Amino acid sequence: MRTEGEMATNTDLTGSWSLVVPLKPLARAKSRLGRTAGGLLRPRLALAFAQDTVAAALACPAVRDVLVVTDDPVAGAALSALGARIVADSPAAGLNAALAHGARAVRTRRAGAAVAALNADLPALRPEELARALDYSAAFPRAFITDAARIGTTFLSASPGVELRPAFGGPSRARHLASGAAEITLSGLDSVRRDVDTGEDLRVALALGVGPHTAGLRASAGPARDR
């Protein structure tokens, strides 16, 4: 057993993880990047971020499979080609409904799956850092990683038999803490925390080292203007 504050947790959980990645239709994704990238490049960047996120997740030895919840046919085809399973956002009721729907879809096929939700905008994601996060998460019923700003959430896990109960969006760190999820405070998880919403976020991600899809668009992105 491991104790986090007053919460005793089981350290004997084992098994591969299924990740759920939500993605808006590309025409609406990453709207704040429009100031940096322009209207034509913005959806291409959103797709590149998702491709690099999914590719890194699938390269992580702790990950069994990746399920992407999206209604975008272009994104669905591109991410399916990487090896992800695609399901439609049939609830069509926002981010958290999509994540809950994805978790149910995973467990319909594999009832005992350990599930984690992962943002689609982590272009610098490193498989080894994700593996550390998943390994640590296995000790808790639910665990999460806050974003670099320590306001939002980039990752939320649920052990087998435990509901995911996602509360992403805005100040979600506080909501996940209030829900009883354990916060993962390990150092060395910068790539898991670095989501990209603004030009400044993109600059930091590029400095960390992004995946090949985002790197391929770097020259087209030009200098970031917003902070």
Side-chain angles (χ1 to χ4, degrees):
M1 302 287 285
R2 176 184 290 156
T3 300
E4 178 98 350
E6 297 181 351
M7 183 167 58
T9 58
N10 181 10
T11 59
D12 297 325
L13 297 175
T14 58
S16 297
W17 289 82
S18 291
L19 301 192
V20 178
V21 177
L23 183 61
K24 288 180 182 178
L26 297 177
R28 295 192 284 109
K30 300 288 107 187
S31 58
R32 291 170 64 190
L33 270 178
R35 288 175 257 168
T36 297
L40 294 177
L41 185 59
R42 176 188 51 75
R44 294 174 62 202
L45 279 170
L47 177 56
F49 296 165
Q51 288 173 298
D52 285 332
T53 300
V54 167
L58 287 169
C60 175
V63 173
R64 177 188 178 109
D65 49 23
V66 174
L67 182 145
V68 176
V69 183
T70 187
D71 284 334
D72 192 290
V74 172
L79 298 172
S80 177
L82 294 176
R85 177 185 166 205
I86 311 300
V87 298
D89 182 9
S90 56
L95 173 60
N96 292 307
L99 286 169
H101 171 61
R104 287 192 298 271
V106 166
R107 287 174 169 167
T108 295
R109 288 193 172 187
R110 194 162 62 97
V115 176
L118 188 69
N119 283 10
D121 58 352
L122 302 171
L125 184 65
R126 295 185 174 97
E128 62 273 18
E129 292 186 13
L130 179 59
R132 287 185 65 218
L134 290 167
D135 179 66
Y136 194 84
S137 296
F140 304 98
R142 292 169 63 247
F144 74 98
I145 296 174
T146 189
D147 61 12
R150 296 190 58 77
I151 296 171
T153 304
T154 61
F155 167 100
L156 173 69
S157 67
S159 295
V162 177
E163 271 191 80
L164 187 62
R165 293 169 57 200
F168 284 74
S172 58
R173 174 179 180 263
R175 290 196 298 273
H176 284 130
L177 279 172
S179 75
E183 182 172 7
I184 299 173
T185 58
L186 295 175
S187 61
L189 299 181
D190 292 349
S191 75
V192 188
R193 301 183 189 280
R194 176 42 64 194
D195 56 348
V196 176
D197 290 315
T198 67
E200 177 60 22
D201 295 339
L202 181 55
R203 278 190 288 268
V204 176
L206 289 168
L208 280 175
V210 296
H213 297 92
T214 304
L217 289 176
R218 180 177 182 179
S220 300
R225 296 187 296 272
D226 60 320
R227 292 182 178 270

